[in-house]
Amino acid sequence: MTQKQKLTLEKLDEEARKRLGELKNAGAGASIQLKENLGGLKKYTDAAARRLGEGGSKVGDRAKKGWTELMSRAREAQSSLQESVEKRRKE
């Protein structure tokens, strides 16, 4: 191998090491940015889940109240119907 080829290989090796260092730094920066973005996403996801949970419990409470009222009216209607049937039997 000639001296010129050795110098060329050394330059290429040096350039490759430099670029590898740059890539490592860029990768580390991207990793940090990704972690920050994931942290922010988790925060927003948790907040949305809390809101959904709160909304879900409100909807559940309303449904339970509506069901209770419906059953109460059904019992009243059944009692009224039973009274009407008993009145007709007596007549």
Side-chain angles (χ1 to χ4, degrees):
M1 191 180 296
T2 66
Q3 184 66 21
K4 188 175 182 182
Q5 288 173 329
K6 284 183 181 178
L7 287 174
T8 303
L9 283 175
E10 286 175 6
K11 277 187 173 182
L12 288 173
D13 187 46
E14 185 180 324
E15 186 66 28
R17 287 177 196 224
K18 182 179 173 185
R19 291 187 187 237
L20 182 61
E22 290 171 356
L23 285 173
K24 283 182 180 178
N25 288 338
S31 177
I32 290 169
Q33 186 66 42
L34 180 61
K35 285 179 184 176
E36 289 174 358
N37 289 347
L38 288 174
L41 181 61
K42 184 179 181 332
K43 182 173 62 172
Y44 291 122
T45 303
D46 290 347
R50 268 195 312 278
R51 282 191 217 112
L52 282 173
E54 291 167 1
S57 67
K58 288 178 185 176
V59 168
D61 291 346
R62 277 190 238 138
K64 185 177 179 183
K65 183 179 177 184
W67 177 257
T68 303
E69 288 177 13
L70 180 65
M71 291 306 292
S72 176
R73 289 180 186 168
R75 283 186 200 108
E76 288 173 9
Q78 185 180 14
S79 295
S80 175
L81 182 61
Q82 204 169 9
E83 287 174 9
S84 294
V85 168
E86 287 178 15
K87 263 187 178 179
R88 287 191 181 178
R89 279 187 194 164
K90 288 181 182 179
E91 292 177 358

